Amino acid sequence: METMSEIEQSKELQYLKAKREQSFLRKLLRNRFAALGLVIIFILIITAIFAPWIATHSPNAMDVSKSLLSPGQQGHLLGTDSYGRDTFSRIVYGSRISLIVGVSAVLFGAIFGSLLGLISGYVGGRTDSIIMRMVDGMMAFPFILLAIVLMTVLGQGLVNVVIAIGVSNIPGFARVFRGQVLSVKEAEYIEVTRSLGAKHGRILFKHIVPNSIAPLIVYATMSIAGAIISEASLSFLGLGIEPPTASWGSMLQEGKDFLVLSPQLATVSGLAILFTVLGINLFGDGLRDALDPKMKV
Amino acid sequence: MKKFLIKRILQLIPTLFVVAVIVFFITRMLPGDPAAVMLGPQASAEDVAAYSERLGLNDPLYQQFFDYLVNLLRFDFGNSLNYNQPVADLIMERFPNTIILAVSALTLAILIGVPAGILAAKKQNTFIDYIVTTLSLVGVSMPIFWLGVMLVLLFSVNLGWLPSTGMGSINDGLWPFFRHLILPSLALATIPMAEFARVIRSSMLETLSNDYIKAARSKGLKETIVIYKHALKNALTPLLTVMGLQFSKLLGGAVLTETIFSWPGMGLLIVNAIDRRDFVVVQGSVIFVAIIYVVINLIVDILYKVVNPKINLDDQHGGGS
């Protein structure tokens, strides 16, 4: 049975934890840039979820008699593309692709990368050397080049885009998580836990992982922005999402060929990418400052 | 220092080996029979078989890998069927163009980004600081392929001032050469420029809050001397790392910019080779880019160590993010 002092102690710990979380949230939201980033992310999520209700037309409905209409003509808010598809509706639906690829590719990279980083940092020795040389090898490719080469092998499609960008994200996560594990591993309380006879599993998942997670969250947030740009880049090069699915990158690629007749096509799709990435970066910066301003991510 | 150098150079060997393995297996995983894809649909079965034999594709995989490694060590990247010339020659033709673009973008980024960052730090929390901070945030979030397209729309389509594609020959005079270089350099310089401004601003602010700076100020030293002689000197170390990483990215990652502006560099070579399924060129040029990337990162590490001998770089080897 717990004694009174133990109960009081646990209450105090809970109070301290709640207070720390409150101060983190307050710090995050007091940062005007971070709040703006959060608003942009919120708009993106709402647009992606409620796309069928927000879009004014079906994103893939073609009508060649209405091709390349200017903004506002015949009920098309942002005009139409060369196939007569409504640009506004395609932008709205395009948010789904960006969000799905951004989040899934980063999750993919984070899960596999962190696992590698965790094993490498915790086990150390030869295992660490082998894993890190593999990571170095993968990091020797410029990010976009690795994604391009992988897409060539995998072929176009949503799942393949997620895999290609996800794999390209693995080395970064492995590097960040390993560094974090190495620094936490040497902390005194880990030594104490170990000397008290704690098993590896408990040390890893009860102590090392929770205490290494903060920089990982910041890194993951920033990586989502990078993944969204990568998807757009791949689609822009014709290697990403398969047509006719609306993706901001492929819309931009199409718009590039109609710069004189319909400059809005390329302009709005690029602006959608820019605002989304800016929002995520603003939020990521704020998150880093609120968690730990000295964090090197 | 000598020990550090030897250790870092030795570390390159396994890294480059992993690079070679990755490229070999990725190109072997390309869909379809490479020989048939490269020769095109009109090629006869005999031609495909003969070409497969010539490429060594009928040998066992370990034999192919061994031959490939030996050829790599001799800098023999094979022959391109599309271009009808050795891949090494193609690389030597295109790589200088990529260097021209990368150096010009890096120069532009330094000339604008560094003074902007210093100015923002000097005028912290003023209108100028907010402008620089906001612009640099927009800059790092910029999809450069979109910026490239917008630059073409404004300066080539609407104003007609600058050419939208291609590379000018220096033999036609300096101006035609520079006219072609301006737009791609500007597009490519945006992200590093913003990155430099952010790094120099934050490291200057950190340095300016140090006690020795306060002491220098209290001694009555002029603000310009405090800023440029003391603060900037210390703020340059992190800048050097970012510069090196950005330069290696520019050399290897100019794929999109080169594609938009049809700049005949390594990026365009790779994209066109992928388009034509010319896997010999893809294999050779990707490996070459990776080697350059790794070597530049090594040079950055060494320079970093020279500037800052106390820094322990054991955990920081390898490429950038």
Side-chain angles (χ1 to χ4, degrees), chain B residues 228-240:
Chain B
Y228 293 101
K229 200 166 170 208
H230 298 284
L232 187 61
K233 203 173 139 194
N234 283 297
L236 281 179
T237 324
L239 184 71
L240 188 68

Side-chain angles (χ1 to χ4, degrees), chain B residues 21-56:
Chain B
V21 173
I22 293 175
V23 174
F24 177 81
F25 283 103
I26 283 184
T27 42
R28 290 306 181 281
M29 276 158 62
L30 282 173
D33 176 359
V37 174
M38 283 166 71
L39 288 174
Q42 62 274 57
S44 66
E46 292 81 47
D47 287 345
V48 172
Y51 194 54
S52 275
E53 188 61 42
R54 212 178 103 197
L55 289 174

